[in-house]
Amino acid sequence: MAGYTELTGEKIRDLIAAAIEARRKSYSPYSHYQVGAALLTADGQIITGCNIENAAYGPSNCAERTAFFKAVSEGMREFAAIAIVGSPEGEELTQYAYPCGVCRQVMREFCEPPQFQIIVAKSPEDYRVMTLAELLPEGFGPENLYDGIEQCAGRE
Ligand code: THU
């Protein structure tokens, strides 16, 4: 299981910069709201994602879930933190973009709520850090279905 990863200011800035770069790839012709995310694995890799919309609306995917699904599909299972940047189309980040409820639940599947850190940012110098436990208190997770969390989500 992933423990708590101490995030240095430099690591946080790297993650935010990666999220800003990922946001440039956002495919959001319907909402014109662009989101980028950078997911830090427990062993220090950074996996990015952007939001990807669809003409049928429903199949659209958030940036955070794109990053998680990319990482999980490559065999990664332990995560330390995610940086998220989102704002209406354009270079300027005008707001802190907190993850939607569905993305919080996806994080809950693979992360330990007190340890997983969520960074929302307007720039590499202007950010807020909180834990998944703060953003999804008393959540429903794999351990509700199984005796041991080790048996869930492909954990060894
Ligand atoms: N979006 C994200 O990518 N992450 C969130 O947590 C909230 C919303 C995307 C979905 C959609 O493409 C656009 O932002 C507007 O909702």
Side-chain angles (χ1 to χ4, degrees):
M1 293 299 297
Y4 187 81
T5 299
E6 208 63 57
L7 290 177
T8 61
E10 189 185 1
K11 178 54 78 182
I12 291 173
R13 284 190 291 277
D14 285 352
L15 273 179
I16 295 170
I20 290 171
E21 196 52 40
R23 179 172 173 265
R24 298 167 76 89
K25 311 214 174 56
S26 167
Y27 177 76
S28 41
Y30 306 107
S31 73
H32 301 282
Y33 188 89
Q34 301 177 319
V35 188
L39 178 61
L40 179 67
T41 65
D43 63 359
Q45 298 178 73
I46 295 177
I47 310 298
T48 60
C50 65
N51 59 329
I52 304 168
E53 298 186 346
N54 189 282
Y57 290 16
S60 299
N61 204 51
C62 290
E64 299 91 318
R65 274 179 287 150
T66 301
F68 265 93
F69 294 158
K70 280 173 65 181
V72 172
S73 68
E74 293 296 327
M76 297 156 201
R77 291 288 189 278
E78 299 196 350
F79 305 104
I82 190 168
I84 306 161
V85 295
S87 282
E89 211 165 79
E91 284 298 307
E92 206 192 344
L93 296 169
T94 54
Q95 56 185 248
Y96 298 112
Y98 288 85
C100 80
V102 172
C103 288
R104 293 179 200 199
Q105 186 64 32
V106 168
M107 293 173 194
R108 180 71 179 78
E109 186 68 23
F110 296 102
C111 307
E112 295 168 75
Q115 265 126 51
F116 187 68
Q117 295 159 88
I118 297 167
I119 302 152
V120 291
K122 289 188 194 172
S123 79
E125 288 77 38
D126 180 353
Y127 58 83
R128 297 176 182 169
V129 185
M130 62 228 86
T131 65
L132 181 57
E134 291 171 306
L135 290 187
L136 188 67
E138 307 295 346
F140 187 88
E143 68 279 13
N144 289 103
L145 299 179
Y146 299 99
D147 289 334
I149 198 164
E150 293 75 21
Q151 297 169 35
C152 309
R155 293 175 171 92
E156 297 298 324

